[in-house]
Amino acid sequence: MSNTASRQSHRLSGGLVDRNAPLDFTFNGSHYQGFEGDTVASALVANGVKLVGRSFKYHRPRGILTAGSEEPNALLTIGRGAYAEPNTRATVAELYNGLAASSQNHRGPLGFDFMAVNDFFSPFLSAGFYYKTFMWPRAFWEKVYEPLIRKSAGLGALSGEPDPSTYDKGFLHCDVLVIGAGPAGLMAAKTAALSGARVILADEDFRLGGRLNSETYEIDGMPGSEWAQSIVQELSEMDNVRVMPRTTVYGSYDHGIYGALERARDHLSDQGDKPRQILWRIYSKRAILCAGAIERPIAFGDNDRPGIMMAGAVRSYVNRWGAAPGKRVAIFTSNDDGWRTAADLSAKGIEVAAVIDPRTGNAPYQIPNTQIFMGDAVAGTYGRKGITQIALASGREIPVDCLAVSGGWSPNLQLTCHQRGRPAWREDIAAFVPDQGIPVGMSVAGAANGELSLKSALTEGLNKANAALKDLGMKTAPQAAPKSDDEKIAATPFFYVKESKARAWVDQQNDVTVKDVKLAHQEGFRSVEHLKRYTTLGMATDQGKTANVVGLAIMANARGQSIPETGTTIFRPPYTPVPIGALAGRARGKDFRPYRLTPSHSWAEEQGATFVEVGMWMRAQYFPKPGDKSWRDTVNREVETTRNSVGICDVTTLGKIDIQGRDAAEFLNRVYINGFAKLAVGKTRYGMMLREDGIAMDDGTTARLGETHYVMTTTTANAGPVFRHLEFCRQCLWPDLDVHLISTTDGWAQFAVAGPNSRKLLQKVVDTDTDLSNEGFPFMACSEITVCGGTPGRLFRISFSGELAYEIAVPARYGDALIRALIKAGEEFGVTPYGTEALGVMRIEKGHAAGAELPGTTTAQNLGMGGMISKKKDCIGNTLSERPDLNRDDGLRLVGFRPVDRSQHLKAGWHFLSKGSPCDMAHDEGWMTSVAFSPSLDHSIGLGFITRGSDRMGEIVRAVSPATNVDIEVEIVSPHFIDPEGERLRV
Amino acid sequence: MIIDHPLLGPRDSAEFVYLGDACLIERPDWQDENALDAFHDYLYLRDNPAGEHRELWFHEQGDRSWLVVTRNTLTHEITKVELARDVARALGRSK
């Protein structure tokens, strides 16, 4: 390996690279030099590097085939360490100083790949090989075959480290989105821009101009690339235009929305801390697709050797980058356009060894000092790691180091298919063109629409832009298309050289050959969709951009049908691969989704609390103290202190819905199963809500603060869905009820103050005009109060813990101050804050249902609340809750469980069986929903559903978990483990 | 998709939550003789048209309006957007 930059052996004069800005880079550890303006591919071409990778399945040596995003072969890993990105197309990767590229998919050096042995086994590795071979034994699939296949057939590997780059997302709006900045796109963008429309012009290339940069066209008397630069310059200076180079519009979505990926900083040695890529969502009123065309290869024997390149790509390397893909080049073309390669090479002084055209008749161009073979074809090639010679169907052999191939141009119509658009075949250009079902608001101009000549592309760009402006009711500026060449484009359909003896490749990225397509036909996989899936034709990351039409043509031939009769598969987004990192944007790690902090969060952090994510909230889980040996110690202490003295828990996260209006009571009556019409002002009531199908949806309390004013609470997780449901009831079912809803979950900080000393504690915080005595503020009372000398608040005497308890609320901004005041006031009682774990233990000790008991499959009857459903009124879910199957005598009931051997610990998810029953689903009687270690009882307890549970108190059943070999005896008990009569609540 | 909200103008569908067929507005009368059957049909039977479909969307990240959106299920073309409350009233629903 040389450490000095090697001479650019294949660099020519001219081209759109900056020779004053040399850039050093490495490929597989060897040092090379290119120039600013190069891609990795053009720099490799300039350095005479032909072999750049190994093929997917057979590990065949492969070179650069194209000069654009359609590249199937030259997939490299670019970047170092965690920044390394596999499967980057060298043809679109912009060169920067210090770039490190390496080839993929080989073991040992690229020049001697041990896996190339696959190529010698190719007779056994044809289409459907995996389906046929790895059927047996079944157990081998996951452990042996799949890892083996994944390792040997594959692309580049990820670094295995977290992606250190940042990505962003953005939203853009425009009147006209122009996709592609070739001649048609520039013309369309300019026309729309001059009329004053808001225009976005996006192109995947870093240099706008499309084929104008690769050809020797003249427009208005200047070189095409200069004309392109002048238009781009003009557009860039206009306020109503946004020019977006390095931006791939990868998908067309409903209603004029497009997805685009801007590679903002991939071309810089140092990305700094700015986003590497930006994912744009573009809202357009009209879009004009000017994506150009993709040249397709011809299938002939050994047509995949390094040095065999598309004819248009050869022109790109020579004209745009001043890099010669070969020094003695042959051209194999079935159309006039391919001959331009011969003319351009000849003009650059590169030896054109031969032009071979399968058409008979006269040569369309005169090329001096060249052998011309009309009516002949290339049938084979030689040279393992790079082409050395071609063999014609006529038998002649010609030594070359590069073969340029053109089978004609296929309009690049991928985006027209994203909403199931079906292209139609156009015989005169032997290609599919956009037809039915292109996205609403999209029009197609230029080569993408089959207008393959420069003049027609410019004219159509102008016309389609004017049509779009007219559609939008905008004025159109009178202007004509500039003067330009109108080159010859005659083409004859020609896809496969029948005289080929060796394998002829159709899809180079997925290693699909002509033989594979014929095999698919022979085995009955004849529809285009079957062909695709059986052979994997067109299923690689390039979606068969170069391969599909050739494959379809061979299948059509085998079926004895025309190409339009055979049909075509269509494309889906993305047009080119989009990194997952870009789709994720900033939503990763702790920002994966939004999270909310409770008003006491800072205070809880100061106490060293451990937090847990609950329905988008971070809630304190428990508050460890020095000396606690485990979280269980902490939780036990929090429970015991609360039950014996007083504890405080932030319950802000429970949903709060403010309900007001003259019909608010009637409304509540209809959404809860139990009656609310008679709830007195200053009182709170527990309520259960059903879904319309009779299944329990949510529960909570609702307090009546005034004649027409209620506050409902919901569970934390269901705050959003319940609110949505209530709005549905209000707007869609009973639109004239006078009732209004507003979510106030975030508006109020709310704390549960629970335990025998809770009243004494609150008396120190609540202003003295509120009588907190048991008579003055009894169980289930509620009131608007003031605290700490005039701060407005609300007080509810409700209890989830089963103790004498209150919930006190203040506007959220006072929440931090209130928790500090409450804790300070509680010092003399030894108050403890408690978290969600202690909350859970206490509610299980009391047998209160929570999320695990309301999973969306249980009924009020299952929960033992069937009797609450009022039969005297309508409410959501009451009619269907009467269905016989929901009211069977042997239905599930929520009950408590305790282990017969009290030292055993229960687990949620265990199933219940009667003693002596076999352990199978037929004998399953229910399951454990929630468990806890009860410090009050000093053993494990559980809640669960079991058949006829309420009639089986005292029965011993088995709790089993076959997966973990558990089979223990548990006793069915009341779910109210503590204070079953509820006396503590009422003192 | 873009939903042209009758009060707020065009909004991205990402701001909305989808519910389903707009026939959910037509909740049966609980005192009807065949209420159980009527509720069963109301809740479980849906047409699944290939073409125009009237459906309920909730503007959750917006003004909390329930909307009835007429959308072509084949093309996603939206031809009409109404406030669900207006639709409900037109169907004779009141209190």
Side-chain angles (χ1 to χ4, degrees):
Chain A
M1 313 245 169
S2 144
N3 279 327
T4 52
S6 60
R7 196 171 56 85
Q8 298 186 38
S9 57
H10 287 61
R11 186 69 79 176
L12 305 166
S13 62
L16 305 172
V17 290
D18 182 355
R19 277 151 216 278
N20 296 319
L23 304 172
D24 294 322
F25 72 103
T26 63
F27 174 60
N28 286 345
S30 296
H31 290 256
Y32 297 97
Q33 197 174 66
F35 294 121
E36 180 104 37
D38 264 327
T39 61
V40 172
S42 71
L44 289 171
V45 168
N47 283 282
V49 176
K50 288 213 170 83
L51 173 60
V52 299
R54 289 280 175 169
S55 75
F56 184 70
K57 192 156 123 187
Y58 301 122
H59 293 253
R60 299 261 295 184
R62 289 282 165 80
I64 297 161
L65 182 69
T66 73
S69 62
E70 67 271 30
E71 176 63 31
N73 286 343
L75 305 182
L76 305 180
T77 297
I78 292 183
R80 292 184 178 86
Y83 286 95
E85 176 146 298
N87 310 327
T88 306
R89 285 150 295 145
T91 48
V92 294
E94 208 171 330
L95 194 66
Y96 55 81
N97 204 38
L99 179 144
S102 55
S103 52
Q104 308 178 153
N105 202 28
H106 51 89
R107 275 186 232 167
L110 176 59
F112 185 83
D113 176 6
F114 295 105
M115 292 305 289
V117 67
N118 276 8
D119 202 20
F120 297 104
F121 293 129
S122 62
F124 309 103
L125 290 171
S126 56
F129 163 70
Y130 298 138
Y131 305 131
K132 292 169 191 166
T133 311
F134 295 126
M135 298 286 287
W136 179 93
R138 180 173 290 235
F140 265 42
W141 179 252
E142 252 179 57
K143 296 216 165 79
V144 183
Y145 295 143
E146 191 174 319
L148 199 71
I149 293 167
R150 291 217 180 275
K151 207 162 177 185
S152 63
L155 301 161
L158 292 166
S159 72
E161 294 175 55
D163 187 346
S165 301
T166 54
Y167 302 84
D168 239 330
K169 291 187 183 181
F171 299 81
L172 296 171
H173 297 259
C174 65
D175 296 315
V176 181
L177 167 67
V178 180
I179 304 160
L186 289 171
M187 226 25 241
K190 186 184 171 186
T191 306
L194 286 176
S195 80
R198 289 184 307 161
V199 176
I200 292 173
L201 173 64
D203 194 291
E204 60 183 355
D205 206 332
F206 54 91
R207 185 183 183 97
L208 304 191
R211 287 301 298 175
L212 292 176
N213 294 325
S214 293
E215 305 288 5
T216 49
Y217 297 135
E218 279 200 353
I219 301 178
D220 273 349
M222 61 175 121
S225 61
E226 275 178 37
W227 179 84
Q229 287 313 104
S230 73
I231 303 286
V232 170
Q233 185 62 32
E234 191 180 341
L235 292 171
S236 303
E237 286 162 7
M238 296 173 79
D239 291 338
N240 56 328
V241 180
R242 184 179 183 117
V243 179
M244 302 180 74
R246 302 185 178 93
T247 302
T248 304
V249 177
Y250 63 78
S252 165
Y253 302 94
D254 293 308
H255 304 168
I257 300 172
Y258 290 81
L261 180 74
E262 181 179 1
R263 287 170 301 280
R265 296 175 85 77
D266 277 358
H267 60 293
L268 301 176
S269 322
D270 180 10
Q271 295 176 6
D273 55 359
K274 296 232 170 64
R276 176 193 164 207
Q277 299 179 336
I278 302 166
L279 195 78
W280 295 103
R281 184 186 286 210
I282 302 176
Y283 297 80
S284 71
K285 289 180 184 159
R286 292 290 180 277
I288 307 176
L289 179 68
C290 307
I294 291 173
E295 199 171 24
R296 54 174 185 259
I298 297 170
F300 54 87
D302 289 326
N303 61 333
D304 65 331
R305 295 195 192 283
I308 299 177
M309 196 180 269
M310 302 312 307
V314 170
R315 292 205 295 281
S316 294
Y317 288 115
V318 168
N319 293 328
R320 174 170 172 181
W321 286 291
K327 301 199 166 173
R328 184 178 155 81
V329 184
I331 290 136
F332 178 28
T333 177
S334 64
N335 57 78
D336 292 357
D337 191 72
W339 286 77
R340 297 168 53 80
T341 304
D344 286 5
L345 289 175
S346 193
K348 288 270 183 183
I350 295 169
E351 184 185 352
V352 179
V355 182
I356 304 104
D357 191 327
R359 299 177 295 177
T360 51
N362 295 327
Y365 287 83
Q366 296 306 311
I367 313 292
N369 308 319
T370 295
Q371 291 177 281
I372 290 177
F373 302 93
M374 298 301 292
D376 207 340
V378 177
T381 68
Y382 303 91
R384 178 89 188 142
K385 290 174 205 166
I387 189 167
T388 55
Q389 188 165 298
I390 57 173
L392 305 190
S394 57
R396 193 181 298 261
E397 298 194 335
I398 304 166
V400 296
D401 63 355
C402 172
L403 174 64
V405 179
S406 178
W409 291 80
S410 299
N412 190 4
L413 45 69
Q414 287 222 1
L415 265 71
T416 69
C417 297
H418 285 184
Q419 287 163 49
R420 299 207 63 76
R422 286 264 160 204
W425 182 254
R426 223 177 93 183
E427 193 67 32
D428 63 324
I429 57 166
F432 283 101
V433 292
D435 189 45
Q436 300 292 312
I438 72 174
V440 174
M442 181 194 276
S443 57
V444 193
N449 202 31
E451 295 300 325
L452 295 175
S453 80
L454 174 59
K455 193 170 191 172
S456 60
L458 289 166
T459 308
E460 199 177 34
L462 172 72
N463 292 343
K464 289 288 168 75
N466 276 331
L469 293 168
K470 205 173 152 201
D471 248 17
L472 294 172
M474 306 185 84
K475 64 177 167 47
T476 57
Q479 59 159 330
K483 274 211 231 44
S484 67
D485 306 325
D486 200 11
E487 72 281 16
K488 300 173 189 175
I489 56 157
T492 298
F494 185 81
F495 303 99
Y496 169 50
V497 179
K498 285 190 288 294
E499 295 83 353
S500 306
K501 291 194 182 75
R503 277 171 298 162
W505 305 85
V506 178
D507 184 331
Q508 298 205 23
Q509 190 172 126
N510 259 356
D511 267 354
V512 179
T513 65
V514 170
K515 196 181 129 203
D516 291 324
V517 177
K518 289 182 172 170
L519 185 67
H521 174 263
Q522 187 187 317
E523 300 194 342
F525 296 95
R526 296 178 183 181
S527 93
V528 288
E529 301 293 345
H530 287 152
L531 166 68
K532 176 174 173 173
R533 282 151 188 87
Y534 193 61
T535 64
T536 71
L537 170 75
M539 289 179 75
T541 61
D542 65 350
Q543 290 195 53
K545 289 186 179 75
T546 53
N548 282 349
V549 173
V550 179
L552 297 176
I554 292 163
M555 177 56 82
N557 185 268
R559 290 173 61 168
Q561 285 180 330
S562 69
I563 291 173
E565 281 169 329
T566 305
T568 176
T569 54
I570 59 174
F571 305 93
R572 59 183 144 204
Y575 170 68
T576 49
V578 176
I580 297 292
L583 294 169
R586 303 266 174 181
R588 47 192 282 195
K590 74 177 178 49
D591 297 322
F592 179 65
R593 58 177 185 181
Y595 58 92
R596 295 188 283 182
L597 303 181
T598 63
S600 66
H601 191 84
S602 300
W603 176 84
E605 268 184 335
E606 289 165 23
Q607 309 310 308
T610 299
F611 294 93
V612 60
E613 205 176 334
V614 182
M616 284 200 184
W617 290 91
M618 298 303 293
R619 292 189 75 177
Q621 194 174 8
Y622 47 90
F623 294 82
K625 274 192 179 170
D628 289 347
K629 285 200 260 335
S630 71
W631 67 271
R632 174 82 58 71
D633 275 4
T634 308
V635 172
N636 288 350
R637 176 171 45 71
E638 290 173 10
V639 171
E640 282 165 356
T641 307
T642 303
R643 293 227 183 275
N644 294 324
S645 178
V646 61
I648 297 174
C649 181
D650 190 325
V651 293
T652 302
T653 62
L654 293 177
K656 305 180 203 74
I657 300 170
D658 206 74
I659 302 172
Q660 299 198 39
R662 282 189 301 277
D663 295 323
E666 176 60 21
F667 181 74
L668 289 167
N669 223 16
R670 293 186 194 176
V671 297
Y672 278 129
I673 58 173
N674 44 326
F676 269 77
K678 291 181 185 144
L679 181 67
V681 174
K683 287 288 179 190
T684 305
R685 184 170 289 174
Y686 172 84
M688 156 128 324
M689 267 180 216
L690 302 181
R691 306 191 310 218
E692 194 68 272
D693 61 0
I695 299 294
M697 177 163 73
D698 201 57
D699 68 348
T701 59
T702 289
R704 188 170 195 178
L705 293 175
E707 201 54 44
T708 59
H709 187 191
Y710 296 77
V711 176
M712 173 188 283
T713 63
T714 73
T715 59
T716 298
N718 277 335
V722 167
F723 187 76
R724 187 186 309 153
H725 167 70
L726 297 185
E727 283 288 4
F728 172 79
C729 295
R730 187 179 80 91
Q731 296 176 39
C732 299
L733 302 184
W734 311 303
D736 291 330
L737 278 185
D738 181 27
V739 58
H740 296 271
L741 312 172
I742 191 163
S743 167
T744 59
T745 305
D746 292 1
W748 292 86
Q750 194 153 321
F751 300 96
V753 182
N757 285 323
S758 57
R759 180 181 293 126
K760 287 184 203 152
L761 188 157
L762 282 174
Q763 275 166 339
K764 298 171 70 181
V765 174
V766 175
D767 292 344
T768 49
D769 51 349
T770 304
D771 175 11
L772 289 184
S773 71
N774 200 30
E775 299 70 37
F777 204 81
F779 182 54
M780 297 310 262
C782 68
S783 178
E784 293 185 288
I785 57 166
T786 59
V787 300
C788 303
T791 302
R794 290 170 177 172
L795 190 65
F796 311 89
R797 189 168 161 192
I798 51 180
S799 176
F800 201 44
S801 58
E803 299 298 328
L804 166 68
Y806 301 80
E807 289 189 11
I808 183 169
V810 290
R813 63 186 179 281
Y814 300 121
D816 180 73
L818 182 61
I819 184 68
R820 291 172 198 276
L822 288 170
I823 293 292
K824 191 156 190 304
E827 269 170 15
E828 64 175 288
F829 312 108
V831 66
T832 181
Y834 64 92
T836 55
E837 289 295 335
L839 180 89
V841 169
M842 288 190 276
R843 74 96 187 163
I844 293 168
E845 287 179 337
K846 280 298 289 181
H848 290 311
E853 287 76 37
L854 301 167
T857 58
T858 53
T859 62
Q861 294 90 323
N862 296 150
L863 292 161
M865 299 183 197
M868 275 172 68
I869 306 177
S870 167
K871 304 292 174 196
K872 292 187 213 129
K873 58 157 187 158
D874 185 16
C875 76
I876 301 290
N878 69 344
T879 303
L880 288 177
S881 74
E882 288 170 16
R883 284 181 287 177
D885 254 30
L886 299 185
N887 294 281
R888 290 158 58 125
D889 293 337
D890 61 351
L892 297 169
R893 288 291 179 276
L894 182 67
V895 289
F897 295 88
R898 62 182 178 196
V900 170
D901 171 356
R902 300 281 195 269
S903 68
Q904 286 174 319
H905 287 273
L906 304 177
K907 277 206 175 132
W910 288 354
H911 277 243
F912 300 121
L913 294 173
S914 285
K915 281 165 105 177
S917 285
C919 185
D920 57 31
M921 281 311 291
H923 294 85
D924 181 51
E925 297 190 26
W927 72 98
M928 193 92 77
T929 53
S930 301
V931 298
F933 178 82
S934 166
S936 319
L937 301 172
D938 200 29
H939 63 77
S940 186
I941 58 172
L943 298 176
F945 292 102
I946 189 166
T947 307
R948 294 184 290 101
S950 39
D951 301 333
R952 295 168 72 178
M953 290 299 150
E955 186 181 333
I956 309 289
V957 294
R958 289 151 60 206
V960 301
S961 167
T964 51
N965 289 321
V966 171
D967 190 337
I968 67 164
E969 291 190 335
V970 293
E971 182 186 348
I972 300 176
V973 294
S974 158
H976 312 297
F977 292 94
I978 300 278
D979 186 27
E981 305 302 322
E983 286 161 4
R984 297 189 194 178
L985 304 165
R986 295 184 169 83
V987 294
Chain B
M1 289 198 296
I2 293 172
I3 294 172
D4 200 357
H5 191 299
L7 304 176
L8 302 175
R11 315 296 308 180
D12 194 296
S13 60
E15 295 173 7
F16 294 80
V17 174
Y18 180 79
L19 179 62
D21 196 315
C23 71
L24 282 169
I25 293 173
E26 297 170 72
R27 185 171 184 268
D29 182 350
W30 73 294
Q31 290 174 311
D32 194 277
E33 208 174 305
N34 301 314
L36 195 57
D37 286 342
F39 268 92
H40 170 273
D41 294 357
Y42 162 74
L43 197 64
Y44 294 110
L45 299 187
R46 295 279 186 285
D47 290 331
N48 185 19
E52 267 202 359
H53 189 233
R54 296 181 81 223
E55 55 201 19
L56 285 160
W57 292 73
F58 180 55
H59 199 199
E60 184 147 276
Q61 309 291 325
D63 75 340
R64 299 171 282 139
S65 287
W66 275 97
L67 304 179
V68 174
V69 174
T70 306
R71 179 180 64 100
N72 188 313
T73 57
L74 295 176
T75 63
H76 289 186
E77 185 190 10
I78 291 174
T79 47
K80 198 173 184 183
V81 184
E82 303 154 273
L83 291 176
R85 166 171 274 156
D86 293 344
V87 173
R89 283 183 176 136
L91 287 165
R93 303 197 70 87
S94 176
K95 287 198 167 189

